[in-house]
Amino acid sequence: QVQLVESGGGLVQPGGSLRLSCAASGFAFSSHPMSWYRQAPGKERVFVAYITNAGGNTNYADSVKGRFTISRDNGKNTVYLQMNSLKPEDTAVYYCYAPVRRSWGQGTQVTVSS
């Protein structure tokens, strides 16, 4: 019953910004931590960001620290990933993940290229 529906991916120039959204349903979203992962072509899926259930604490991969911000709106059952100062190496499929439910979104493509 768990569903994670992502949106906001697309093509952006280096140095640009993009905001991803993940709309959740089928579980008690406000009681669950949430994460973002990404998978580049030919690479393993890797951790990007994490946020606690109330949004009071966050954690980031070193590769995105200082550039990306994870946030959530529990009233909308939505988690966000604000991506700034994007680099070509950020190109990947980005996935929303609910760790407690071990459930993944479908992924959204982010391409950073001039």
Side-chain angles (χ1 to χ4, degrees):
Q1 191 176 13
V2 173
Q3 291 188 339
L4 302 172
V5 181
E6 299 162 328
S7 61
L11 176 64
V12 64
Q13 292 184 316
S17 297
L18 210 58
R19 189 177 78 158
L20 307 182
S21 298
C22 172
S25 62
F27 66 103
F29 178 82
S30 63
S31 299
H32 285 71
M34 295 293 295
S35 297
W36 287 95
Y37 284 69
R38 69 186 183 187
Q39 187 167 18
K43 304 292 185 179
E44 294 184 338
R45 190 173 300 183
V46 298
F47 168 80
V48 173
Y50 170 91
I51 188 167
T52 52
N53 62 296
N57 202 8
T58 57
N59 187 37
Y60 300 92
D62 288 342
S63 59
V64 307
K65 196 171 299 180
R67 300 187 298 120
F68 289 13
T69 303
I70 187 171
S71 62
R72 66 193 297 160
D73 186 337
N74 286 342
K76 296 181 179 179
N77 281 7
T78 301
V79 62
Y80 305 95
L81 186 67
Q82 178 67 47
M83 305 183 294
N84 298 326
S85 302
L86 283 162
K87 306 174 181 179
E89 50 263 46
D90 294 319
T91 295
V93 177
Y94 283 71
Y95 297 90
C96 183
Y97 181 59
V100 176
R101 302 303 296 263
R102 299 180 179 179
S103 183
W104 297 91
Q106 80 285 354
T108 184
Q109 176 70 49
V110 173
T111 302
V112 185
S113 177
S114 60

